[in-house]
Structures are given as structure tokens and as C-alpha cells.
Amino acid sequence: MTRSDRSVGTLIGIIPIALIIGVWQAIAASGLAPPSLLPAPAAVFARLVQQLGSPAYLDHVATTLFRLFTGFAIAVVIGVTIGLAATGSRAVEGVVRPLVRVLAPVPKIALYPAFILTLGFENASKIALVVADAAFPILLATHQGTSAVEPKLAWSARAAGTSPLLCLVTVVLPAALPSVLTGCRIALVISCIVVFLAEMITSTDGLGHLLVRASRSFQTIDTISLLGLLLNVGFNALRARLLIGFPEER
């Protein structure tokens, strides 16, 4: 993909956002909805600036980010490790495949009461819920991507004396990186949703907790949207850097 193609893609992506903001401003200016329910974009932006200048609010943001990234990082380690192991061993694949088929469709929020009972109401239960939800897309993407790698790459490495484990880590995994990163991107979105949901249910801090409080007083929590946008932009930039040289990034 050339730089001009990326610029056009970015512009196309901005157009619907601009249209939404335009319709939002028109509805707010027309008085069809009271400002308490639908404040004007300028008022929301002013509120965002005010929030970001509050140390107490930034503490809530930091708490949410800690839970999100800790759970996401653990999910990446678990998902990539098990996905690689299933690719390198038929025995492991035979054990993992039925477990994934049974557990992946289960709504993980149903496990949250058990996490609370065993891990308490603090960070551990929320992180565990993020891990439980985010690990599966990474595992599936890793296994699918590594299974689709050209066998000749692994055969060449093995013929050169590379051990099976080292071959998986240094040859197969890098070749499957696009698929793995796709799974990680999906898992990151899931992690955001899950951590907010957990904080909304049982928490006295974090953005999810503030969202519940704000809904009771008809306030807006626009930092959540900004956080999601920044995470998406940051991950896309990291993905583009890691995939330099891959055909789909040219």
C-alpha cells in the first residue's frame, strides 16, 4: 500500500466522522434534544479538556489502563504460547481444539462472579475477566496463522539444525505475524469493552465506574471514545512498523 493510498484511506475514514459531528451539531442547535441529553460538540470538547486537567480523573484513567494492558499482555502471552504449541504438537492440538470449541462461545461475563469470589473486588478479578475474553481470538489467530505458514520454511530451518521449538519461535511465528496481530487487534477491542463492563458492575474507580456515575447525572464520558481512538491509532502504527516488508504492507 502506497503513501497516497493510505492518505486517501485516512480521508475516507474522516468523512463519516465529520458527518456524524455535523448531524450532532445540527440536532443540538435545533433544540430537538435538551443539552442535558445531547450537549453540543463544543461543550463536550470543553468538558473533555476540563476532565484531562483533573488529577483525580487522570487517576481513574490510569487505573483503567493498568487493568486493560495487564490483562491484554497476559492474554497475548497465553494465546500465542498455546497457539504455537498446538501448531507444533498434534497432541496439544488434540487437547486444545475441543476446549476452544466449548469455551470460546461462552460469554465470559458469566464467569465474573466466580472471579470476584476467588480473586476479590479489586484489580485481579477484572484483569482475569479481560484475560478470559481476550486470549481466545489471539489463540485462534496464532494457530490459524502458524498452520498456514509455508512448510518449506520450517523444513529449511530444521535441515539447518534448528530445534523444533526454536523453529517455531524464530521462523514460523514471524511468518505468521500478520495473522497474530489481527487477533491481537480484535483482542484489544474486546479488552476495552470488558474492562469498562467490569468496572461498571463492581468498582469504585476507573472509567467504567465514572460512566455509571455520569449516566445518573446526565453527564458525558467522552474520554472513553478518545481512549478507544488513541488505542486503535497506536496499535495500527505498531502493526505497520512490525509488518514492514510483508506483501500486504507494501
Side-chain angles (χ1 to χ4, degrees), residues 114-129:
F115 289 151
I116 293 174
L117 288 175
T118 56
L119 300 174
F121 288 90
E122 300 302 323
N123 291 332
S125 59
K126 297 169 180 60
I127 292 172
L129 184 62

Side-chain angles (χ1 to χ4, degrees), residues 6-94:
R6 291 174 181 169
S7 300
V8 172
T10 301
L11 179 61
I12 293 175
I14 292 175
I15 291 175
I17 297 176
L19 289 175
I20 291 174
I21 294 176
V23 172
W24 176 9
Q25 174 62 38
I27 295 176
S30 68
L32 293 176
S36 59
L37 292 179
L38 186 66
V44 173
F45 180 75
R47 174 65 175 169
L48 173 62
V49 174
Q50 179 185 3
Q51 289 173 334
L52 295 179
S54 169
Y57 191 84
L58 293 179
D59 285 342
H60 287 285
V61 175
T63 299
T64 296
L65 288 177
F66 169 75
R67 292 164 176 163
L68 191 157
F69 284 121
T70 301
F72 176 71
I74 296 173
V76 169
V77 173
I78 293 176
V80 171
T81 300
I82 297 178
L84 269 180
T87 300
S89 170
R90 291 186 178 275
V92 175
E93 183 181 15

Side-chain angles (χ1 to χ4, degrees), residues 72 75-80 83 134-143 179-180 183-185 187-188:
F72 176 71
V76 169
V77 173
I78 293 176
V80 171
F136 284 100
I138 300 174
L139 190 163
L140 292 171
T142 300
H143 181 55
S179 178
V180 175
C184 289
R185 184 178 181 182
L188 184 60

Side-chain angles (χ1 to χ4, degrees), residues 195-218:
V195 75
F196 293 144
L197 182 59
E199 290 175 347
M200 290 172 67
I201 296 174
T202 57
S203 187
T204 57
D205 51 13
L207 291 177
H209 167 68
L210 292 185
L211 182 60
V212 174
R213 286 176 51 188
S215 65
R216 293 169 181 167
S217 56
F218 298 101

Side-chain angles (χ1 to χ4, degrees), residues 129-198:
L129 184 62
V130 172
V131 173
D133 246 322
F136 284 100
I138 300 174
L139 190 163
L140 292 171
T142 300
H143 181 55
Q144 181 178 2
T146 52
S147 299
V149 171
E150 177 61 48
K152 292 180 181 179
L153 292 176
W155 295 342
S156 300
R158 293 295 305 277
T162 306
S163 67
L165 178 59
L166 194 60
C167 179
L168 279 174
V169 175
T170 62
V171 177
V172 177
L173 181 59
L177 197 56
S179 178
V180 175
L181 291 177
T182 298
C184 289
R185 184 178 181 182
I186 296 172
L188 184 60
V189 174
I190 293 174
S191 298
C192 290
I193 297 172
V194 169
V195 75
F196 293 144
L197 182 59

